[in-house]
Amino acid sequence: MQITSNKKVLKQQSVKDSVNQVNVTSTDTSKKIINKKAVKASFSKAAGHYDQFADLQREIGHQLFDLMPVNVKQSSSILDLGCGTGYFSALLREMNIKASLTCFDLSPQMLQQTAQRKLTSCQYVEGDIDAQPFTAGQFNLIFSNLVLQWSEQLSLSLQQTHHALKNDGNLCFSTLLDGSLFELQQAWKSIDSAVHVNHFLSKEQVLTAVKLAGYQQVKIFTETRIKKYPDVISVLKALKGIGANHVHNRNNKQTSNRQLLNQLELGYQPFKNQDGDYNLSYQVCYIVAQK
């Protein structure tokens, strides 16, 4: 059972049916080549107006909050891994006002936005999710909303979170799965064979990465969310507005040619709904794991 749009039904796969059946000797196929300098520049450019376009990120982050066990919300040392503008950093602070809070992001401009929230007992750390600087057992809780899809190798990034957690500490993260942005990908395919949409991991690859990182107690939830836009330009602006318009393995030039946009509009026609809206689907995965 999956959800579409705003229905509040999640598909949960039990630990027995998922993580425990992953062969830890299997090949980790999660490795990707990502230009982190370009990703950093893209998100830094979007920092000032990110919150205007981040409704999907807020929806998914609130769902991740709802999935966290009650006892996790009393964590005394918390890491917001990929904090962005600090929207959820602020909620994590409200969740436990006595906890120490670390806000970590690749973009200094995003950290500046977070700092403007003037969160108490908070430190700001600039860095890469694939090269985390934290010490062993530093945190009780690591929260990460729609960030880990930017990891070059998810299993190694998750190993670092495992290292940074105290015994019995918890990792709660959301990420996107393959099939996300399907409509946009297919619309581009009607024009050329170039890469226009990033590659996302499958649910099985995410589970393998979690297991290889050393997590044993794991719950996974999946859902489909569909956003609606009035035209294809709005689709592209929504991605650009949150800095997610960088595409790996491609020269990321702006799409400004009117003829090209008209072609993209035509390619998108099969994915318009009955009201004439342009659908854009996101396959979302939530992981709640204990060290």
Side-chain angles (χ1 to χ4, degrees):
M1 193 164 45
Q2 290 186 323
I3 79 163
T4 300
S5 240
N6 295 320
K7 297 178 183 176
K8 296 299 181 182
V9 181
L10 288 170
K11 179 180 179 182
Q12 178 180 355
Q13 185 172 350
S14 70
V15 177
K16 184 175 181 180
D17 292 337
S18 58
V19 178
N20 288 345
Q21 291 186 359
V22 175
N23 183 356
V24 295
T25 62
S26 62
T27 302
D28 181 4
T29 57
S30 68
K31 191 170 184 178
K32 297 182 283 187
I33 298 175
I34 298 178
N35 184 340
K36 292 298 181 75
K37 179 184 269 189
V39 172
K40 180 177 181 178
S42 184
F43 279 102
S44 293
K45 187 176 181 179
H49 50 73
Y50 179 91
D51 288 335
Q52 299 175 37
F53 295 91
D55 54 322
L56 176 75
Q57 284 68 25
R58 289 190 291 271
E59 291 170 10
I60 292 173
H62 278 290
Q63 181 67 73
L64 182 59
F65 252 80
D66 290 343
L67 292 172
M68 287 195 296
V70 175
N71 64 310
V72 172
K73 297 181 180 181
Q74 301 305 312
S75 300
S76 60
S77 182
I78 302 172
L79 169 64
D80 189 353
L81 187 69
C83 63
T85 61
Y87 177 88
F88 287 103
S89 303
L91 293 184
L92 290 165
R93 162 55 59 240
E94 292 175 12
M95 184 178 76
N96 186 351
I97 60 174
K98 296 181 179 180
S100 64
L101 176 64
T102 299
C103 297
F104 181 82
D105 204 272
L106 181 66
S107 163
Q109 283 78 10
M110 286 291 190
L111 289 173
Q112 288 173 10
Q113 293 292 318
T114 303
Q116 290 179 17
R117 298 180 184 270
K118 301 185 185 304
L119 304 175
T120 59
S121 300
C122 181
Q123 64 173 331
Y124 306 94
V125 180
E126 179 184 340
D128 187 345
I129 55 174
D130 290 318
Q132 298 169 35
F134 307 113
T135 58
Q138 188 170 344
F139 304 106
N140 297 110
L141 168 65
I142 297 177
F143 176 93
S144 186
N145 181 48
L146 290 183
V147 175
L148 287 166
Q149 66 267 20
W150 298 101
S151 171
E152 286 192 324
Q153 191 162 9
L154 182 59
S155 62
L156 295 182
S157 184
L158 292 179
Q159 284 175 26
Q160 294 171 53
T161 65
H162 190 273
H163 172 78
L165 281 172
K166 300 179 187 295
N167 290 334
D168 298 324
N170 290 270
L171 168 68
C172 301
F173 76 89
S174 61
T175 191
L176 298 179
L177 298 176
D178 61 337
S180 295
L181 310 181
F182 170 80
E183 298 89 348
L184 181 59
Q185 182 183 49
Q186 293 302 308
W188 274 116
K189 282 184 177 181
S190 70
I191 299 174
D192 59 40
S193 59
V195 177
H196 293 278
V197 173
N198 282 326
H199 168 72
F200 299 101
L201 302 180
S202 67
K203 181 176 68 175
E204 290 72 26
Q205 287 175 309
V206 171
L207 284 171
T208 297
V210 171
K211 183 66 174 179
L212 289 172
Y215 291 98
Q216 298 298 323
Q217 300 183 51
V218 181
K219 293 181 180 179
I220 180 171
F221 306 83
T222 59
E223 66 173 347
T224 299
R225 287 186 180 263
I226 300 177
K227 303 302 290 184
K228 301 174 183 179
Y229 300 94
D231 50 53
V232 75
I233 293 179
S234 298
V235 172
L236 299 176
K237 282 184 176 180
L239 294 174
K240 183 178 179 180
I242 58 169
N245 56 318
H246 173 77
V247 178
H248 315 319
N249 304 318
R250 180 173 74 86
N251 183 10
N252 285 267
K253 295 181 179 179
Q254 292 186 348
T255 305
S256 57
N257 183 292
R258 169 45 64 181
Q259 183 178 6
L260 186 61
L261 287 174
N262 287 339
Q263 290 178 301
L264 192 58
E265 288 268 6
L266 289 174
Y268 222 111
Q269 294 306 302
F271 309 106
K272 292 170 65 175
N273 64 21
Q274 59 185 7
D275 296 322
D277 298 315
Y278 288 65
N279 288 340
L280 189 61
S281 299
Y282 292 84
Q283 306 302 327
V284 190
C285 174
Y286 303 90
I287 296 286
V288 176
Q290 186 176 52
K291 181 174 178 178

